[in-house]
Amino acid sequence: ADRIDALLPQTQCTKCGYDGCRPYAEAIAAARADINQCPPGGATGIARLSQLTGRPVVPLNPVNGIEQPLRVAVIDEALCIGCTLCIQACPVDAIVGAARRMHSVIPDWCNGCDLCIAPCPMDCIAMVPVRPARVWSDDDAQQSRSRYEARQRRLDVERQEREQLLLRKALARLDELGQREDLAPDRIAHKQSVVRAAIERARARRQAATKR
């Protein structure tokens, strides 16, 4: 799977039918997926995967899309309403902006995955060919992988911080309930059990994330 993943373009576009390049690589390695499901890799990518896996070269599966020249996203800033949906969709943090503020794409970071197109409610994002035209290189793939992994680490940290904040609030609520004098003991006990259950679920999620 590692060797297969190293040959994929690392756009994380999901056109292969999987959640990213790594899951697709694992599916190929386990013989659950064909080598012709990656439109960004195109014919060259299929040939490289064929050489590695020993499987025959086959045309790109049209169900997964078509091979196209390298493109990048461009936002019509006059129409952008600052909803941040494209920012959330971009797997490599190539879109900058803030809520209710204009967004912009950093062309050098955009990998052409076009995952920002569908969520845009204003239809103000277009994919345009890179000028001058060039092919997606192994260096491009490595940069895209690095940015994707950095984004995943950032999201993990943000999730952990949110869970820790909720946990602190839950513990404070539990302490507050123990001091209430205006509620019947059975109601206090019930509310405390609900809060404790929520705390245990949060701790279980955090432990599961740590094991991953």
Side-chain angles (χ1 to χ4, degrees), residues 114-130:
D114 77 24
L115 289 173
C116 57
I117 299 291
C120 178
M122 298 301 292
D123 195 26
C124 67
I125 306 178
M127 301 302 298
V128 301
V130 171

Side-chain angles (χ1 to χ4, degrees):
D2 289 342
R3 295 168 66 194
I4 292 170
D5 188 42
L7 296 180
L8 296 177
Q10 303 305 317
T11 58
Q12 318 301 334
C13 68
T14 74
K15 291 182 174 63
C16 59
Y18 292 86
D19 288 337
C21 294
R22 179 67 192 192
Y24 178 43
E26 292 174 350
I28 293 175
R32 297 194 309 269
D34 293 324
I35 62 173
N36 65 336
Q37 298 175 205
C38 176
T44 299
I46 293 171
R48 296 174 72 184
L49 290 172
S50 171
Q51 184 176 15
L52 175 63
T53 63
R55 301 186 196 180
V57 172
V58 288
L60 179 66
N61 189 337
V63 171
N64 300 105
I66 60 173
E67 185 173 1
Q68 301 187 64
L70 180 57
R71 304 179 302 164
V72 295
V74 174
I75 297 175
D76 185 337
E77 296 173 349
L79 295 178
C80 176
I81 61 173
C83 68
T84 77
L85 293 177
C86 60
I87 293 176
Q88 298 170 45
C90 180
V92 291
D93 282 341
I95 303 177
V96 294
R100 297 181 295 279
R101 296 291 185 271
M102 179 187 71
H103 302 344
S104 296
V105 177
I106 302 174
D108 289 343
W109 293 355
C110 179
N111 63 22
C113 70
D114 77 24
L115 289 173
C116 57
I117 299 291
C120 178
M122 298 301 292
D123 195 26
C124 67
I125 306 178
M127 301 302 298
V128 301
V130 171
R131 293 288 183 265
R134 65 180 185 85
V135 298
W136 186 254
S137 68
D138 289 342
D139 287 342
D140 291 323
Q142 185 55 49
Q143 174 179 280
S144 186
R145 182 204 296 274
S146 297
R147 294 200 59 78
Y148 173 72
E149 292 175 347
R151 181 176 188 269
Q152 294 304 110
R153 289 192 295 271
R154 175 177 62 78
L155 293 177
D156 285 342
V157 169
E158 290 175 355
R159 278 191 290 268
Q160 292 172 18
E161 290 175 345
R162 284 195 299 270
E163 289 200 351
Q164 289 170 2
L165 176 61
L166 291 174
L167 182 60
R168 288 195 295 270
K169 288 183 176 180
L171 290 171
R173 179 60 174 162
L174 195 60
D175 184 59
E176 176 188 329
L177 286 170
Q179 302 177 33
R180 292 284 294 271
E181 297 179 356
D182 58 329
L183 294 176
D186 59 334
R187 290 193 62 190
I188 291 178
H190 172 70
K191 289 178 179 294
Q192 287 176 330
S193 67
V194 171
V195 174
R196 287 194 184 96
I199 291 172
E200 289 306 313
R201 288 195 298 271
R203 284 174 173 161
R205 286 195 300 270
R206 190 164 56 186
Q207 289 174 357
T210 300
K211 290 179 181 178
R212 288 199 301 271

